[in-house]
Amino acid sequence: MKVLKIPEATVIRLSVYSRYLEQVRRKGTSTISSEEIARGVGVSSAQVRKDLAYFGDFGTRGVGYNVIELYGHLMKILGLTRQWQAVIVGAGKLGSALAMYAGFAQRGFKIVGVLDSDQHKIGQKLEDLYIEPFENLGSVVAQHKAEIGIITVPAEVAQNVAEAMVAAGIRGILNFSPRSLNLSDDIVVRNVDLSVNLEILSFYLGSRK
Amino acid sequence: MKVLKIPEATVIRLSVYSRYLEQVRRKGTSTISSEEIARGVGVSSAQVRKDLAYFGDFGTRGVGYNVIELYGHLMKILGLTRQWQAVIVGAGKLGSALAMYAGFAQRGFKIVGVLDSDQHKIGQKLEDLYIEPFENLGSVVAQHKAEIGIITVPAEVAQNVAEAMVAAGIRGILNFSPRSLNLSDDIVVRNVDLSVNLEILSFYLGSRK
């Protein structure tokens, strides 16, 4: 995979800032300082300024940031001013849950297809989508101009599914399988391990005993 | 919530380091440098040293870290040398998927109960667990000494479920609902927003066009 210049931790925080600014904007606040953003999301104000500085000079010294402007900048930086089409391969419990996860649509990610190779699953309905045969991957991706693929299949078939996605035109993959993928450098891959979230809890639970 | 001294980003990286060291250990490697860890997980070696320095002085200058020792330290720091019992409230698609997610057990998290208030779900089987009525929360938590609660209910009931968990003795909550929880400072809460993962993809996809 390509070496990416902006640290992933910064990108995650930009996403957090954008959600916070959306709340602030709804309350009708027009300007905000880095200190207020920092307090709102639980990081240091130096961190907020450092993260934003990667992308230019947004604030005015002594005045702060214009909330609507900064929110707009962040959404643009995150690539969220457009809609993204995504397909899910693997219509098990997790794939089905993700297909119906309302939070995706709210941030501009539309699930345009859910595919599986299990004859028993094909044709079943998940909200307004029908589970389609895996063989249709190429046509679904082409028809909807999908660029993102979500992998929720067992580890042993994850690499094959990823290669089929890339062949179909997918450029970014969210991999929920516990298998790391071996793909060319121009494909963006993010591996999601849900147990990391529990480990963060166990760390803080353990350290306060 | 309590102000926590160790940055969450550090805890996430410790979890990543521990997985990498587990792989290295399986290959039979006995010592490793911070540079090798850094290359293996994609951060700077200064970051590795800084993260580890929060918890003491583990390595030997010019020699590096003993792989088994460092792995053991990290697992202990993360609270993973013991088993944690967890309950899930909300047996929809996501709750059911998490109840059967193999990755949790591999890192020492045992799901001891899945509860729901929907009469149609109660009694259904998820691998070796039966979905139980939400009213049983107190007895399930007490019987299994569960300390972690996972919330996969709709936003409008998340706060009530969280309060019931705390009343039952839960000390840490993983919240998959899009509602922030208002709980006393001694409860550790981690909100999981699955769309953040897609936003990281869209950022990197957008920035390489």
Side-chain angles (χ1 to χ4, degrees):
Chain A
M1 265 173 289
K2 205 167 171 179
V3 177
L4 304 156
K5 281 174 216 152
I6 311 294
E8 190 180 279
T10 294
V11 182
I12 295 173
R13 281 191 298 268
L14 294 178
S15 166
V16 172
Y17 302 156
S18 75
R19 281 154 216 267
Y20 180 66
L21 287 171
E22 194 169 12
Q23 284 175 35
V24 168
R25 191 186 63 156
R26 283 207 194 125
K27 286 186 200 148
T29 310
S30 60
T31 56
I32 193 166
S33 64
S34 53
E35 287 76 16
E36 287 166 297
I37 298 174
R39 261 199 309 278
V41 304
V43 302
S44 72
S45 59
Q47 184 73 68
V48 173
R49 288 190 296 271
K50 191 180 163 194
D51 288 336
L52 296 177
Y54 280 108
F55 305 95
D57 191 10
F58 298 123
T60 309
R61 190 172 287 274
V63 178
Y65 304 97
N66 176 300
V67 172
I68 292 175
E69 257 180 46
L70 182 59
Y71 174 75
H73 280 306
L74 288 177
M75 292 300 275
K76 202 173 166 193
I77 290 167
L78 289 167
L80 299 178
T81 50
R82 52 161 283 187
Q83 184 171 273
W84 294 89
Q85 280 75 245
V87 293
I88 295 176
V89 174
K93 296 266 180 197
L94 184 59
S96 304
L98 295 177
M100 305 199 288
Y101 186 65
F104 289 164
Q106 280 161 18
R107 299 284 284 187
F109 299 95
K110 185 171 162 66
I111 307 297
V112 295
V114 184
L115 303 98
D116 204 293
S117 57
D118 180 349
Q119 293 298 328
H120 296 96
K121 287 181 185 147
I122 293 164
Q124 284 183 25
K125 208 174 177 189
L126 293 172
E127 307 231 313
D128 54 350
L129 288 172
Y130 289 93
I131 299 170
E132 295 185 66
F134 178 60
E135 291 72 38
N136 292 7
L137 182 63
S139 61
V140 172
V141 168
Q143 190 195 331
H144 297 282
K145 298 190 171 61
E147 292 178 85
I148 292 177
I150 301 177
I151 297 183
T152 47
V153 296
E156 56 274 23
V157 292
Q159 176 68 28
N160 284 349
V161 167
E163 288 173 14
M165 283 179 167
V166 171
I170 291 294
R171 304 194 305 127
I173 293 179
L174 202 57
N175 175 29
F176 281 90
S177 89
R179 165 73 162 274
S180 16
L181 304 174
N182 189 9
L183 298 169
S184 72
D185 284 359
D186 55 334
I187 305 300
V188 184
V189 176
R190 182 161 170 81
N191 298 303
V192 183
D193 185 330
L194 293 169
S195 33
V196 169
N197 293 299
L198 279 173
E199 291 172 25
I200 296 164
L201 275 191
S202 71
F203 169 80
Y204 288 121
L205 285 173
S207 64
R208 63 171 54 181
K209 268 224 170 140
Chain B
M1 265 174 289
K2 205 167 171 178
V3 177
L4 305 155
K5 281 173 217 152
I6 310 292
E8 190 181 278
T10 293
V11 182
I12 295 173
R13 282 191 298 268
L14 294 178
S15 166
V16 173
Y17 302 156
S18 74
R19 280 154 216 267
Y20 180 66
L21 288 171
E22 195 169 10
Q23 285 175 33
V24 169
R25 191 187 63 156
R26 284 208 194 125
K27 286 187 201 149
T29 310
S30 60
T31 56
I32 193 166
S33 65
S34 53
E35 286 76 15
E36 287 167 300
I37 299 174
R39 260 199 310 277
V41 305
V43 302
S44 72
S45 59
Q47 186 72 68
V48 173
R49 287 190 296 270
K50 192 179 161 195
D51 288 336
L52 296 177
Y54 281 109
F55 304 95
D57 192 9
F58 297 123
T60 309
R61 190 173 287 274
V63 178
Y65 304 97
N66 176 301
V67 172
I68 293 175
E69 257 180 47
L70 182 58
Y71 175 74
H73 280 306
L74 288 178
M75 292 299 277
K76 202 171 166 194
I77 289 167
L78 289 166
L80 299 178
T81 49
R82 51 162 285 188
Q83 185 171 273
W84 293 90
Q85 279 77 244
V87 293
I88 295 175
V89 175
K93 296 267 181 197
L94 184 60
S96 304
L98 296 176
M100 305 198 289
Y101 185 65
F104 289 164
Q106 281 162 18
R107 299 285 285 186
F109 299 96
K110 185 173 162 65
I111 307 297
V112 295
V114 184
L115 303 98
D116 204 293
S117 58
D118 180 349
Q119 293 300 327
H120 296 96
K121 288 182 184 147
I122 293 165
Q124 284 183 25
K125 207 175 175 189
L126 293 172
E127 307 232 312
D128 53 350
L129 288 172
Y130 289 93
I131 298 170
E132 296 185 65
F134 178 60
E135 293 72 40
N136 291 7
L137 182 63
S139 62
V140 172
V141 168
Q143 190 195 331
H144 296 282
K145 297 189 171 62
E147 293 177 84
I148 292 177
I150 300 176
I151 296 183
T152 47
V153 296
E156 56 273 23
V157 291
Q159 177 68 29
N160 284 349
V161 166
E163 288 173 13
M165 283 180 167
V166 171
I170 290 294
R171 305 194 303 128
I173 292 179
L174 202 58
N175 176 30
F176 281 89
S177 88
R179 166 73 162 273
S180 17
L181 304 173
N182 189 9
L183 298 168
S184 72
D185 283 357
D186 55 335
I187 305 299
V188 184
V189 177
R190 181 161 171 82
N191 299 304
V192 183
D193 186 330
L194 293 170
S195 33
V196 170
N197 293 300
L198 280 174
E199 291 171 26
I200 295 164
L201 275 191
S202 72
F203 169 81
Y204 289 120
L205 286 174
S207 63
R208 65 170 53 180
K209 269 223 172 141

